[in-house]
Amino acid sequence: MNLGAIGSRVKCLSQSAAMGKKSKFQIKSEYYAFRVAMGALSVMPRPLALAVCRTLSHAAFHSLSGPRRTGMRNLELAFPDMPAAERQMIIRGTFENLGRVVAEMSQLHKATPANFEKIVDFEMDEESRAVYAQNRHGRGVLIITGHFGNWEMMAAAFALLHKPQAFLARPLDNPLIDEMTAAIRTRYGNRQIDKTHSAMTAIKILRGGGLLGILADVNAHPKEGVFVPFFGVEACTPSGAAMIALRSDALMFPTFCIWDKAAGRYRMIHGRALEPVRTGDRKRDVVETTAAYTAEIERIIRQNPDQWMWIHKRWKTRPPGEAKVYD
């Protein structure tokens, strides 16, 4: 696996909109590079794959100046009083976390419930048990998550240690890589749904008492989001989760799978379970519901800031008349 593969993965994971059409040659070249890289990692023992990706992520931190600058700018906005050296350490952690996501994804074909229990602590606290009790009795639960910790491990953990879930995903700009990653994510019973024009499918799943996961922490186009505070700065945030929750009366449950370095394993953590806000004004309901789950995402990120995707231009879309945040 080389730095180009890591860089390509960074680009794919941080996209918030479809890119221009690629040539067949470019699509196949990227696909074979990605397939070779993932194939090489997949035959390694898990500790070796993690070590290789950790080394590559450190190299990527030093060589990919653009994402590093974006991360530093984001941390200036989110933590204006934080020393520059501490920001650098957080960005280094972001790259390392991304490497861990790639390494673990390459190993998912080896997963079983027995070995996954050793890797992921899925133990439920009282609130989690209460949420999933409602789900067992027929109420849909919308799993609000983000590019924090290991979202790929989280999806696999649900399928192997709890029950499969459906999840919304925006297709990657390379259809062959998208097909390959979808096959990995759905190997154990999860269902991937194209995020585009998926509202009615999502609502049907939740009204039927299902589990639905959605990533809700990226920059959104004004047509797809609303402005709510995120680390004290107005951020255009995807509002789809709020609209789906309101129409399906689903309970929203912010959930993440973080790396616990001290324990040497992943741990499922949760924010507060949230009811959709209902004031009688639909637009206000969407904004306030979006603000509520965004605040929970922020609260969780603050506990382990080096595991969030700071290299994404989260504040790119600005309110009308406001200056650009990035160069």
Side-chain angles (χ1 to χ4, degrees), residues 190-205:
N190 288 330
R191 175 186 176 191
Q192 179 169 313
I193 300 169
D194 187 338
K195 192 173 183 179
T196 308
H197 308 303
S198 60
M200 292 311 300
T201 301
I203 291 166
K204 183 178 180 180
I205 289 169

Side-chain angles (χ1 to χ4, degrees), residues 80-156:
D81 299 325
M82 179 180 287
E86 188 173 347
R87 292 178 188 148
Q88 287 276 3
M89 290 299 295
I90 290 175
I91 299 304
R92 184 187 292 271
T94 291
F95 276 91
E96 187 170 317
N97 187 68
L98 180 59
R100 196 159 45 237
V101 171
V102 174
E104 297 287 18
M105 194 173 186
S106 77
Q107 300 291 304
L108 287 178
H109 66 289
K110 305 173 185 177
T112 65
N115 65 28
F116 232 61
E117 285 183 343
K118 299 176 182 178
I119 299 172
V120 181
D121 179 358
F122 204 95
E123 185 176 349
M124 297 186 187
D125 57 20
E126 185 176 342
E127 183 171 27
S128 300
R129 287 192 291 270
V131 167
Y132 295 125
Q134 290 192 50
N135 184 236
R136 285 194 299 273
H137 286 89
R139 188 177 188 189
V141 174
L142 186 57
I143 303 294
I144 305 286
T145 191
H147 297 88
F148 175 70
N150 198 321
W151 51 95
E152 303 290 357
M153 291 291 282
M154 190 185 87

Side-chain angles (χ1 to χ4, degrees), residues 73 77 227 233-235 315-325:
R73 178 59 178 140
L77 295 170
F227 285 97
V233 182
E234 290 294 300
W315 289 276
K316 182 177 180 180
T317 302
R318 306 311 308 141
E322 191 170 306
K324 293 181 179 179
V325 166

